[in-house]
Amino acid sequence: MGTKARVIISSLAMVGLFAASSFTYGKSKKEYEGPPSLKATGFSVEDVLKVHNIGKLWTATTNYGVYGDPEAPLRFPSYEWPGGSGTHYNWEGRFWVGAIVGGEKFVSHADYGDYELHPSQDEEWQTWIYPAEDDFLLGWSGSNPKAGRMKSLQDSYVVFDDLNSNSNPLGVKILQRGLTWSTNDLDDLIIYEIAVINIPGVGPGALGGVFVSWCFDADVGTGADPSSANIDDLVAFDGYDGDDGDTDIRDWVENVDWNVNGALDGYDDWGIPYLLEKHASPSIVNPNFDQTMASPDGFFDEYTVIVDPSGPELMWHKTVDFEGPGGQTVNAVAGEVVVIDGETIHGYCVPRNTSFMYDGDDPTTPEYDAGERQNPAQPVPGYIAGRLLYSDLLKSNPLAEIPVDELIMPYSHMWWNWNSDPGSDIQKYDFMAATHVEAKGKRFMPHPFDIGAPEFDYRFLLSEGPFDNFNEGDTLRFVFASGVGHGLRGMRENLDNALVAYYSGSATGNPYNPTSFDAEDHWKVPVPPPVPNLVYSPLNEGARLAWDNKPETEIDEMLGRIDFEGYKVYRAKYSTENWQLIYACDNVDGQVKVINHATGDSIAFVDLDPLTHTLIDTGGMFLGEVYERPVNGLPYYYIVTAYDPDKLSENLLSIESARSNFMTDSESGAPLAVTPQKLYSGLDDPTLDELDIKVVPNPYKGTALFEARYEEKIMFTNLPRSCKISIFSSTGDLVAIIEHTDGSSTEFWDLVSRNDQDVVSGLYLYVVEAGKQDAVSGKFVIIR
């Protein structure tokens, strides 16, 4: 969003389940102060954000048509990937509904600074995320939140409408369920099942020319891009685009691992096709561009290819020879049936229908910084994307019944930069309908480089429609998959997995015969045991953990039985990422294969300890890897996962629960670290001259590793159980006084003076006093 000046609402990063009710909206370049519809009517609603954080992708979801949080990284995550990394891939996603009323164009929308969608007031409940404290299930039936069943490991449910808008409301209500998983194939995704209802008796009546759209202003790399996360992005479409471009007929990479080498070939380590010459800059060649590394496989790259013995025969797209299983040569002939190693291959092949954005090269900096690859500590390799998995238009035109040049697809893929932000309903509708002058006569706008545009601050708009004769009481249904993947390869794999998962469990539905989410069972995917409840507390150079036996007692809904084998304990220092496995136990008598559930690789074959529900971490060695003894004063986070056994007879591999049960603050939901420290006993009371009191870090350079997220504080260590700490400027002025009384050996200072002002850079002195003992003094430096 241009300059994107923003109001800081909270310094806490959101990684739990937290409702921010009636918050003040941040400012955009329009200097917006609040929703005009609320000001004009005086109508009070609760605009709420809650967070999906069960997988690797964390993001806020709302009950007013917004995806993510524009205040990231200062408030809640906004497509933070991996979760806990501090790298966000979105600024704000928005839901739009447009229609023709009396010959005029109207759009009800979520649009930063001008939100026209708000939670419905006639519902018995508003916004939920499950699991939560109340053990209820969510469903689509009526207004009872206990109706139906869980579809994912963490469902959200919201109901909102446009009735509180002063800008020509259409009288539509939106029911939206969010779905997330922790399993490896689905943990990079947020799925939304959406029903749009024309509410009887409150709007203009029957609606024509209806479009439904998802607009993502994705500032890729927020929180990690050292120059500017918003001005160096790029945008494109992955899927069939008719005559609007030719990228959809490329065959540069594998769609399926035909040669069974464990990877999709044709991509470099960043997930970028080797043959993509101008990937991130119109003037700089991709450093990994290599025409000899092409891996064609007879299918257009921008299609999902699903091998399924129960599906129809697959047909080749292109004529090409490539390497198949065992090094044999496969001869693909366009239009002929797919045969590999003498076997006719069955399955489905459909365009991806995906809009996406990624980090390009920042033209204002001298180095080639696409994906922030010059910063190995916090790169930004991800592609953020949105894919239409289902709409009622797709259902009415099954792909199996029409030729490739008449494929039904999203109606349009648009993009624009902040200079062209549509400020009126007419402009918004024209973008949805692909009639805006910026569409340049296309329904599927090509990559910016293809029309001479550079890297910049773009948005994408993925639209479906038009729906005519949308009468009162009618419902339109959609399934929208959003997510982040490692490069183009990871993005494609994740969204392909979303399509496969959507039709798992369907009796009649498949990609050629689309069925709605409420028409039959979907999302019948293997699920791990539930997450145990975990608590931990500090020790001197250690931590004490305890968890419950919930995973050992709950029945796996898919299997109809308890499915549990053991627990794993992970530890991370400083932040909730880079987890290290430090312990495991199981219910198996004898040696077992210990699996890295993130990769599926085997770590070791050992006899683990019997089941336990407690652990004292004082450092040590596990499976040949040393994990250090916790250091007093530093923050540590712990998670305990539950995992199930391999079920090879059922073609199911072992999976583990989400890595999400680190402790959180009860009010903000922010992660709670445990800080090992010496806790003095009555017989253990050293004098000041026996202690080596220190300030950490010294000097303080604007941040410290022990800070959870953009906090400002320093730590005094090796203190007595009770003392007074006085802090002075270099000129002798008293800056702050801290009373240390908790019986521990550490104390933090938030760098705020006794006059509630942030202290400035400079040299500071401290004096520690304890009773009648001689005081101890020292100095430290703050560099802002």
Side-chain angles (χ1 to χ4, degrees):
M1 290 286 301
T3 58
K4 290 188 178 168
R6 297 162 191 178
V7 174
I8 297 176
I9 304 300
S10 168
S11 64
L12 290 172
M14 172 62 210
V15 293
L17 308 180
F18 175 63
S21 302
S22 302
F23 58 82
T24 302
Y25 292 88
K27 293 182 181 180
S28 72
K29 60 179 182 293
K30 300 177 183 177
E31 294 300 311
Y32 179 71
E33 297 293 344
S37 59
L38 302 190
K39 288 183 176 181
T41 64
F43 185 70
S44 177
V45 297
E46 284 194 344
D47 289 334
V48 175
L49 299 94
K50 293 187 179 230
V51 171
H52 280 286
N53 65 349
I54 202 77
K56 287 196 301 186
L57 180 64
W58 296 356
T59 195
T61 193
T62 75
N63 60 357
Y64 52 97
V66 167
Y67 308 105
D69 180 6
E71 301 297 341
L74 298 174
R75 187 171 57 184
F76 308 114
S78 195
Y79 285 76
E80 184 179 6
W81 182 85
S85 68
T87 302
H88 305 258
Y89 282 79
N90 192 28
W91 186 58
E92 182 181 77
R94 305 146 182 174
F95 185 73
W96 293 2
V97 181
I100 303 292
V101 179
E104 296 188 58
K105 302 170 182 176
F106 297 117
V107 178
S108 293
H109 55 75
D111 198 11
Y112 186 78
D114 189 16
Y115 299 119
E116 296 182 348
L117 303 172
H118 296 285
S120 295
Q121 297 301 297
D122 61 346
E123 300 294 334
E124 295 180 16
W125 33 252
Q126 298 300 334
T127 305
W128 307 97
I129 282 199
Y130 179 91
E133 292 182 2
D134 297 327
D135 191 21
F136 55 72
L137 301 180
L138 305 179
W140 289 84
S141 304
S143 59
N144 179 7
K146 294 186 178 180
R149 66 170 180 86
M150 284 288 296
K151 290 191 175 184
S152 73
L153 293 182
Q154 191 182 55
D155 285 19
S156 63
Y157 190 90
V158 296
V159 185
F160 51 92
D161 58 48
D162 70 343
L163 302 184
N164 190 41
S165 169
N166 281 343
S167 178
N168 301 292
L170 299 173
V172 292
K173 177 189 292 186
I174 295 91
L175 285 68
Q176 175 182 285
R177 184 202 293 263
L179 309 171
T180 51
W181 292 265
S182 65
T183 48
N184 201 32
D185 290 342
L186 301 174
D187 58 357
D188 301 300
L189 297 163
I190 310 287
I191 311 292
Y192 293 101
E193 297 179 341
I194 297 171
V196 180
I197 302 170
N198 188 340
I199 310 171
V202 300
L207 302 174
V210 175
F211 286 96
V212 169
S213 303
W214 294 266
C215 177
F216 271 59
D217 184 351
D219 292 351
V220 177
T222 297
D225 191 329
S227 54
S228 180
N230 64 310
I231 66 169
D232 59 352
D233 292 333
L234 288 163
V235 59
F237 181 72
D238 208 44
Y240 178 72
D241 57 17
D243 296 328
D244 289 340
D246 60 3
T247 61
D248 56 332
I249 58 173
R250 289 173 177 165
D251 185 13
W252 292 352
V253 299
E254 286 186 333
N255 298 63
V256 177
D257 182 17
W258 298 113
N259 57 8
V260 200
N261 67 354
L264 295 180
D265 297 332
Y267 299 93
D268 66 15
D269 290 341
W270 288 82
I272 311 303
Y274 284 106
L275 265 63
L276 193 53
E277 182 177 7
K278 297 296 178 65
H279 151 252
S281 169
S283 59
I284 301 175
V285 173
N286 176 11
N288 295 327
F289 174 65
D290 187 344
Q291 297 187 63
T292 68
M293 296 295 289
S295 295
D297 69 347
F299 288 97
F300 299 140
D301 294 344
E302 299 188 357
Y303 281 61
T304 297
V305 180
I306 301 171
V307 176
D308 184 348
S310 64
E313 294 177 341
L314 283 172
M315 310 291 288
W316 296 116
H317 284 162
K318 304 198 75 171
T319 298
V320 66
D321 293 343
F322 65 90
E323 181 182 324
Q328 66 169 301
T329 299
V330 176
N331 306 115
V333 179
E336 293 190 359
V337 173
V338 175
V339 178
I340 295 180
D341 198 19
E343 178 185 357
T344 299
I345 306 301
H346 295 248
Y348 305 94
C349 179
V350 294
R352 284 202 179 86
N353 301 336
T354 298
S355 297
F356 66 92
M357 290 182 64
Y358 63 96
D359 183 65
D361 173 56
D362 187 344
T364 67
T365 59
E367 73 277 0
Y368 183 78
D369 67 350
E372 306 307 314
R373 59 185 71 186
Q374 83 289 349
N375 180 18
Q378 200 168 21
V380 185
Y383 277 43
I384 180 172
R387 175 175 183 169
L388 186 66
L389 294 184
Y390 172 84
S391 79
D392 290 337
L393 279 181
L394 291 176
K395 177 181 178 181
S396 63
N397 293 275
L399 296 177
E401 299 177 6
I402 52 179
V404 68
D405 59 350
E406 298 176 15
L407 285 173
I408 296 299
M409 51 203 166
Y411 186 81
S412 62
H413 156 82
M414 296 283 106
W415 56 259
W416 62 88
N417 64 46
W418 66 271
N419 289 309
S420 300
D421 270 335
S424 68
D425 280 9
I426 293 174
Q427 293 172 345
K428 286 182 170 64
Y429 188 91
D430 286 346
F431 267 122
M432 300 169 85
T435 56
H436 195 283
V437 64
E438 294 290 339
K440 298 176 172 48
K442 299 180 182 293
R443 282 175 51 191
F444 295 86
M445 292 182 64
H447 192 284
F449 293 170
D450 294 339
I451 59 173
E455 316 91 302
F456 201 53
D457 183 14
Y458 294 113
R459 307 92 169 86
F460 72 68
L461 184 79
L462 187 66
S463 300
E464 179 66 313
F467 299 89
D468 292 316
N469 302 315
F470 184 37
N471 297 313
E472 291 186 326
D474 286 353
T475 300
L476 301 175
R477 298 166 180 83
F478 308 89
V479 181
F480 177 74
S482 60
V484 181
H486 186 89
L488 188 61
R489 174 176 54 197
M491 180 206 83
R492 286 171 167 172
E493 288 179 305
N494 290 338
L495 292 175
D496 288 353
N497 289 339
L499 183 65
V500 173
Y502 178 62
Y503 286 108
S504 61
S506 297
T508 61
N510 58 62
Y512 287 174
N513 181 38
T515 53
S516 174
F517 55 80
D518 58 353
E520 59 175 354
D521 280 340
H522 292 270
W523 312 113
K524 285 287 189 179
V525 299
V527 296
V531 180
N533 295 303
L534 170 67
V535 294
Y536 39 77
S537 57
L539 298 173
N540 183 32
E541 297 184 323
R544 178 183 288 110
L545 289 71
W547 57 95
D548 65 12
N549 67 344
K550 181 180 180 181
E552 302 166 46
T553 61
E554 292 204 6
I555 294 176
D556 185 309
E557 182 180 318
M558 180 178 174
L559 299 174
R561 65 175 186 269
I562 295 173
D563 189 31
F564 167 82
E565 181 171 309
Y567 296 108
K568 289 183 177 181
V569 179
Y570 296 86
R571 186 182 75 184
K573 186 165 60 175
Y574 305 130
S575 64
T576 53
E577 59 174 340
N578 300 321
W579 297 103
Q580 180 183 13
L581 179 64
I582 65 170
Y583 182 76
C585 59
D586 65 12
N587 58 12
V588 178
D589 184 14
Q591 290 192 329
V592 296
K593 179 173 65 174
V594 181
I595 299 171
N596 180 342
H597 284 97
T599 64
D601 298 331
S602 175
I603 301 175
F605 196 71
V606 295
D607 189 355
L608 297 175
D609 287 351
L611 282 183
T612 183
H613 303 92
T614 62
L615 179 69
I616 293 178
D617 174 22
T618 55
M621 178 178 289
F622 183 64
L623 302 182
E625 295 289 333
V626 175
Y627 59 102
E628 68 178 11
R629 187 181 185 94
V631 177
N632 282 352
L634 295 185
Y636 293 85
Y637 298 87
Y638 293 88
I639 51 177
V640 176
T641 65
Y643 61 93
D644 57 17
D646 280 335
K647 298 172 282 293
L648 300 181
S649 62
E650 299 171 88
N651 199 30
L652 294 173
L653 299 179
S654 174
I655 51 179
E656 71 174 337
S657 62
R659 301 183 180 186
S660 62
N661 57 354
F662 44 79
M663 294 172 63
T664 58
D665 183 89
S666 60
E667 294 184 0
S668 70
L672 284 180
V674 58
T675 305
Q677 53 190 305
K678 183 174 179 59
L679 299 173
Y680 294 106
S681 66
L683 301 177
D684 188 7
D685 194 7
T687 60
L688 286 176
D689 59 3
E690 295 176 314
L691 297 168
D692 182 19
I693 297 175
K694 293 181 179 179
V695 172
V696 180
N698 186 11
Y700 174 86
K701 298 180 179 180
T703 187
L705 286 174
F706 53 70
E707 295 179 3
R709 185 70 60 84
Y710 307 109
E711 301 171 14
E712 293 188 318
K713 59 185 178 183
I714 61 174
M715 178 173 60
F716 293 88
T717 66
N718 302 326
L719 296 171
R721 69 159 72 192
S722 177
C723 63
K724 182 175 76 171
I725 307 170
S726 301
I727 300 170
F728 299 89
S729 69
S730 59
T731 59
D733 295 325
L734 179 62
V735 176
I737 295 177
I738 304 171
E739 296 289 347
H740 173 66
T741 59
D742 66 359
S744 73
S745 60
T746 60
E747 185 68 58
F748 290 94
W749 179 42
D750 60 5
L751 308 187
V752 175
S753 74
R754 58 181 180 150
N755 298 321
D756 287 331
Q757 294 180 329
D758 293 337
V759 298
V760 298
S761 297
L763 174 68
Y764 290 84
L765 309 175
Y766 67 85
V767 176
V768 179
E769 301 172 89
K772 297 181 180 180
Q773 303 179 53
D774 290 337
V776 173
S777 62
K779 57 188 177 181
F780 60 93
V781 174
I782 294 176
I783 302 174
R784 292 291 193 179

